[in-house]
Amino acid sequence: MRSNKQKKLEAKGWKIGSASDFLKLSPEEEAYIELKLSLCKTLKRLRTKKHLSQNDLAKMIKSSQSRVAKMEAGDSSVSLDLVIRSLFSVGVSKKDLAKAVSSAT
Amino acid sequence: MRSNKQKKLEAKGWKIGSASDFLKLSPEEEAYIELKLSLCKTLKRLRTKKHLSQNDLAKMIKSSQSRVAKMEAGDSSVSLDLVIRSLFSVGVSKKDLAKAVSSAT
DNA sequence: TTGCAATATGTCATATTTGACATATACTAA
DNA sequence: TTAGTATATGTCAAATATGACATATTGCAA
């Protein structure tokens, strides 16, 4: 079972290459990353639930498939803004949003 | 009493200068702006509650007073990323966050 | 297998967001 | 009034996020 810390490491591009595996995140950074990953997961869940391909979603938000893939992977190059805009585009409910926020570990 | 539409207009820099006062926002854009404004309001509320000046908060997040002011004003030049990072820095609770999300009109 | 659609990954020029700064305005207290 | 502190607003070069693209990989049906 992967630890939460490793999960955060896997947010591609974050602190990778730092000398230590025990990357020190401030509580704020940690909360931010957890929230982001939670929302990315929600996005993927809602997209597949709606039977949309990454390409479909990309067109809806006037972006590209590769960016959608990066979003869903929690890539550090993607902003929360884009993730949240995308969530609204797939019709996320306030309830689902709030749940994703609350459940961010 | 200001209308919701006006409130959104006041999100400085958004669509101002367009020919019409009746700016057409897609439901997604609308939801995004409402969420942002809701979080900006929450930030200001929590900051003042903690008796922090904008300068204090700016130092905490390694930014500047002017950017904090813009954040709290809901300026369109400020990203949700920064607002949310700031919220975490002032110690927002998951509950407060979820509430701000849910209550976004 | 082969073929095709979906997804992942890397790069890059352009667009947006950034902190910093100057300066204006608002609000108290002396 | 004056002085001091807080907040607002405008600008800009530097930093970061962006869509687009090429290409790799996966998964699944024929």
Side-chain angles (χ1 to χ4, degrees):
Chain A
M1 188 68 177
R2 271 164 18 230
S3 72
N4 276 334
K5 192 160 278 188
Q6 277 181 317
K7 241 163 127 190
K8 274 173 254 154
L9 251 174
E10 285 172 3
K12 315 289 178 53
W14 272 323
K15 312 263 185 178
I16 299 264
S18 82
S20 172
D21 277 340
F22 307 3
L23 66 171
K24 290 205 192 107
L25 296 174
S26 70
E28 307 90 77
E29 289 173 316
E30 198 168 307
Y32 169 78
I33 294 180
E34 279 162 358
L35 175 60
K36 190 156 156 183
L37 293 182
S38 174
L39 293 175
C40 289
K41 256 175 95 173
T42 302
L43 176 61
K44 181 162 196 166
R45 186 170 59 75
L46 291 182
R47 176 183 62 80
T48 54
K49 187 179 170 188
K50 287 213 163 186
H51 304 291
L52 296 168
S53 68
Q54 291 183 345
N55 229 333
D56 293 335
L57 174 55
K59 279 169 199 153
M60 290 165 65
I61 62 174
K62 298 184 211 290
S63 182
S64 59
Q65 177 269 325
S66 58
R67 190 132 301 274
V68 172
K70 277 158 194 158
M71 253 195 281
E72 294 184 349
D75 192 289
S76 66
S77 81
V78 178
S79 71
L80 246 186
D81 288 67
L82 188 61
V83 176
I84 287 181
R85 282 180 192 273
S86 302
L87 279 166
F88 284 134
S89 284
V90 299
V92 71
S93 64
K94 293 252 165 68
K95 208 178 101 189
D96 278 350
L97 248 195
K99 187 157 51 164
V101 167
S102 299
S103 72
T105 313
Chain B
M1 189 70 177
R2 272 171 9 233
S3 71
N4 277 334
K5 191 159 279 188
Q6 277 181 316
K7 239 164 129 190
K8 274 174 253 152
L9 252 174
E10 286 171 2
K12 313 289 177 55
W14 273 323
K15 311 261 184 177
I16 299 266
S18 82
S20 171
D21 279 339
F22 308 1
L23 66 169
K24 292 202 191 109
L25 296 173
S26 70
E28 306 90 78
E29 289 172 316
E30 199 169 305
Y32 169 78
I33 294 180
E34 280 163 357
L35 175 60
K36 190 156 155 182
L37 293 182
S38 174
L39 293 175
C40 289
K41 256 174 94 173
T42 302
L43 176 62
K44 181 161 197 167
R45 186 170 60 76
L46 291 182
R47 177 183 63 80
T48 54
K49 188 178 170 188
K50 287 210 163 188
H51 304 289
L52 296 169
S53 68
Q54 291 182 344
N55 229 332
D56 293 335
L57 174 55
K59 279 169 197 152
M60 290 166 66
I61 62 174
K62 297 185 213 291
S63 182
S64 59
Q65 178 269 325
S66 57
R67 190 132 300 274
V68 172
K70 278 158 194 159
M71 253 195 283
E72 294 185 349
D75 193 288
S76 66
S77 81
V78 178
S79 71
L80 247 185
D81 279 78
L82 189 60
V83 177
I84 287 182
R85 284 178 190 275
S86 302
L87 279 167
F88 285 134
S89 283
V90 298
V92 71
S93 65
K94 292 254 165 68
K95 208 176 100 189
D96 279 348
L97 248 196
K99 188 157 49 165
V101 167
S102 299
S103 73
T105 310

